[in-house]
Amino acid sequence: MNVYKATEENIKAAAEIIKSGGLVAFPTETVYGLGANGLNEIAVAKIFEAKQRPTFNPLILHIASFEQINLIAEAENKIAKELIKIFWPGPLTLVLKKKKIVPEIVTAGNTTVAVRMPANKVARKLIEYSGVPVAAPSANAFGFLSPTTAEHVANQLGNKVEMILDGGSTEIGIESTIIEISDEGIFLLRPGGLPVEEIEKITGKLKTKTETQKPNSPGQLPFHYSPKIPLRFFESVKEEEISGKKKAALFFCKIKNEEEFVSVKCLSCKGDLREAAANLFSFLHELEASGAEIILAEKPPAEGLGVAILDRLTRASRRY
Ligand code: TXA
Ligand code: MG
């Protein structure tokens, strides 16, 4: 069994796994997280693979020091600073403008990033010893309950993570409260472990997203990125949709007819789904900016991470 008591020695070993691109489940004061180096695309792709989520959801980056936030997000906003001063470390996640260093797979292509400094000591030491922000969703398999003990994690993801750090039951037991701070205002994205009333003492009444902005399911969140030009699959595109247009192409593993396109990308020349997932959002951004009027995409195999990639491309293909 790969469950280890969260001793100093084991936390250090777990940090080495994170540094080398592996997955570690660890306790926080809210729920257990499934962590990876948040600056390493391939490591982050492994999170989605392990959770078997059929879609990409943006992830929270966990930090251990106040300085670390400046590496990954714009935190100059006065209210953001105030909330950080009062509620961190603790069960509050802030969604802020992201900095370039944050890989697109972490934010699912969004220009914002979610950041949290957990209060749990094991979590903080793990992040500190890893030396990087740790990307971590709740450590449950897709469609299962969030885990509040190491045993819950072991039952759901035991064979998918290199190590599970056992720090006992989590104190709060529900996920962090998520607040987005943007030029449009301060929004409550998810109620959670920190009562909204506490936050509103600082921020005033929080806004919520309107009906049209509201997510029906996480994969349909309005802030999910889709390219700003139409995308179609090669196999179903109609001639009239592309004739006379500048085209870009997103191939899965082999580039074909390169000369027909103004820009061409190949998600993974080795046909490796992790690499393909890691490249997906940044390549879509590049193709969108290439001067093309339409993107033609090749379907990846619908297995493992290919399911989530296909989901994202299908959503993009329905957008225009
Ligand atoms: O308590 C928690 O927050 C736990 C522990 C492990 O820290 N983590 C957690 O992560 O609940 P997860 O991935 O299960 O939920 C994170 C939520 C998702 O619903 C996601 O859509 C949202 O945060 N989120 C992440 N980045 C976002 C962004 N840039 N904009 C809006 N929402 C974001
Ligand atoms: Mg979750």
Side-chain angles (χ1 to χ4, degrees):
M1 205 51 172
N2 54 357
V3 180
Y4 294 82
K5 277 239 155 320
T7 59
E8 191 67 19
E9 196 189 345
N10 288 336
I11 299 173
K12 284 191 173 140
E16 290 305 315
I17 294 174
I18 299 271
K19 280 192 203 167
S20 64
L23 298 184
V24 171
F26 63 98
T28 82
E29 70 278 23
T30 58
V31 298
Y32 274 71
L34 176 62
N37 177 350
L39 303 181
N40 174 336
E41 287 102 331
I42 297 286
V44 174
K46 289 182 190 168
I47 292 178
F48 291 105
E49 189 174 60
K51 284 198 63 147
Q52 293 185 297
R53 236 196 132 86
T55 181
F56 293 103
N57 209 20
L59 301 173
I60 298 173
L61 286 184
H62 296 71
I63 59 174
S65 73
F66 289 97
E67 297 79 61
Q68 228 173 354
I69 194 172
N70 297 314
L71 175 74
I72 54 180
E74 304 284 351
E76 289 312 307
N77 179 290
K78 243 179 83 185
I79 302 263
K81 281 186 164 167
E82 189 78 6
L83 291 175
I84 288 170
K85 203 168 90 195
I86 298 172
F87 297 114
W88 278 9
L92 172 68
T93 295
L94 294 179
V95 172
L96 300 163
K97 217 169 171 354
K98 90 175 192 68
K99 290 208 174 150
K100 212 165 170 198
I101 191 170
V102 179
E104 305 232 27
I105 188 172
V106 169
T107 64
N110 289 299
T111 53
T112 55
V113 61
V115 191
R116 157 162 134 78
M117 188 193 288
N120 182 289
K121 289 211 173 65
V122 175
R124 291 257 293 292
K125 280 188 180 174
L126 174 68
I127 302 160
E128 187 191 325
Y129 299 159
S130 304
V132 289
V134 172
S138 47
N140 53 291
F142 174 68
F144 285 78
L145 289 178
S146 291
T148 56
T149 65
E151 199 190 347
H152 292 162
V153 182
N155 290 341
Q156 298 184 31
L157 299 172
N159 54 354
K160 307 246 168 59
V161 292
E162 287 179 51
M163 187 170 183
I164 299 170
L165 280 175
D166 185 353
S169 294
T170 62
E171 301 105 71
I172 297 177
I174 56 165
E175 287 94 340
S176 62
T177 303
I178 306 182
I179 302 291
E180 179 179 344
I181 300 179
S182 74
D183 296 341
E184 281 76 57
I186 306 175
F187 297 89
L188 174 66
L189 299 187
R190 177 177 77 183
L194 180 67
V196 171
E197 296 81 359
E198 297 290 308
I199 299 169
E200 289 187 331
K201 281 183 198 156
I202 316 298
T203 58
K205 186 102 185 101
L206 290 166
K207 297 184 187 174
T208 47
K209 299 269 170 178
T210 62
E211 275 311 313
T212 49
Q213 295 167 300
K214 239 184 206 158
N216 298 321
S217 80
Q220 296 171 328
L221 296 173
F223 33 77
H224 266 215
Y225 166 81
S226 271
K228 295 186 188 71
I229 52 176
L231 180 147
R232 297 287 179 270
F233 290 111
F234 276 104
E235 61 193 67
S236 51
V237 69
K238 299 195 188 70
E239 180 54 34
E240 63 264 29
E241 293 181 297
I242 46 174
S243 73
K245 292 217 176 97
K246 287 192 200 133
K247 305 183 286 286
L250 184 66
F251 289 103
F252 174 57
C253 70
K254 194 160 168 263
I255 291 178
K256 288 159 229 152
N257 308 333
E258 191 167 358
E259 59 292 342
E260 287 179 25
F261 307 101
V262 294
S263 185
V264 179
K265 288 278 173 196
C266 181
L267 283 173
S268 169
C269 297
K270 296 180 287 193
D272 176 79
L273 286 164
R274 270 184 204 160
E275 185 181 42
N279 286 331
L280 177 67
F281 292 101
S282 53
F283 283 6
L284 284 174
H285 271 135
E286 278 187 51
L287 295 179
E288 172 190 86
S290 67
E293 295 158 282
I294 188 164
I295 299 170
L296 295 178
E298 181 180 35
K299 288 188 176 176
E303 61 190 40
L305 281 173
V307 177
I309 296 171
L310 198 52
D311 165 79
R312 186 98 295 278
L313 293 173
T314 304
R315 281 174 205 282
S317 77
R318 293 200 188 121
R319 174 137 180 206
Y320 298 101

